[in-house]
Amino acid sequence: MQSRLGLAAAIAFSLSPALAGDAFAQGRQRPSQVPQQGQAAPPPKQEKNFPIDAAWTAIQFNGKPINDRRITLKVDSNLRGTGFSGCNTFSATAYPLRQQGFAVGPVAVTKRACDKGVMDFERSFLLALRSVRQWDLVEGRLVLKTGNGEIRFDRGI
């Protein structure tokens, strides 16, 4: 019995560094990552303002140009996102959040029927719109970022 305990203690002692994990694996900063005194911290990123009441026309969906459809979006001062999704008009709550976050509530859509290809694209677009988590303005264009890609918009008329 004592030899089994001795063997178990020896194994535990030899594995203790691996079981405990080193300080770096436990989330502590490496000495080279700790800000040194006298070093300036990076400047904070300037917060952008979401363009409320601006009309947008989609030009790119997940890296592919949208040439054959007119997809629009406008977020008004009541935080209501409205637009045309290829076949139907839609409406949803659309919240620009801090740090360029974005949240879209449940989407209400009119019930017009169109060709299967148009309806499939519309469904994909609305699902992507519902999953938007971030927004950005890049070279005057609105970029809505989803978990799987992004939707790019140009200013509409």
Side-chain angles (χ1 to χ4, degrees):
M1 175 77 166
Q2 240 178 358
S3 65
R4 286 184 189 168
L5 288 177
L7 180 61
I11 291 172
F13 181 73
S14 66
L15 292 177
S16 63
L19 292 175
D22 74 11
F24 305 125
Q26 293 179 4
R28 295 186 188 132
Q29 290 183 329
R30 297 179 190 270
S32 63
Q33 292 176 331
V34 176
Q36 301 294 321
Q37 286 184 338
Q39 285 183 345
K45 202 174 178 181
Q46 187 172 357
E47 191 76 22
K48 295 181 181 179
N49 292 323
F50 188 86
I52 298 290
D53 288 323
W56 299 95
T57 301
I59 58 169
Q60 208 175 57
F61 182 56
N62 292 335
K64 297 177 184 171
I66 302 172
N67 297 325
D68 56 342
R69 295 173 175 88
R70 181 167 160 74
I71 310 298
T72 63
L73 173 67
K74 180 179 180 179
V75 178
D76 66 21
S77 59
N78 293 322
L79 302 179
R80 195 80 175 135
T82 58
F84 181 71
S85 52
C87 180
N88 291 284
T89 57
F90 66 89
S91 177
T93 53
Y95 297 101
L97 304 169
R98 289 185 186 162
Q99 299 175 349
Q100 293 178 249
F102 199 76
V104 177
V107 179
V109 183
T110 56
K111 303 237 183 227
R112 184 173 170 204
C114 294
D115 294 335
K116 182 178 177 5
V118 173
M119 295 297 289
D120 289 344
F121 179 84
E122 181 177 70
R123 186 177 305 109
S124 298
F125 169 75
L126 292 172
L127 285 171
L129 184 65
R130 182 72 170 88
S131 69
V132 169
R133 298 291 175 248
Q134 295 282 299
W135 69 272
D136 199 2
L137 287 174
V138 179
E139 298 175 358
R141 292 184 168 142
L142 176 64
V143 180
L144 299 180
K145 300 173 185 179
T146 69
N148 299 329
E150 63 184 28
I151 310 167
R152 289 184 176 263
F153 294 85
D154 251 348
R155 286 274 181 163
I157 14 180

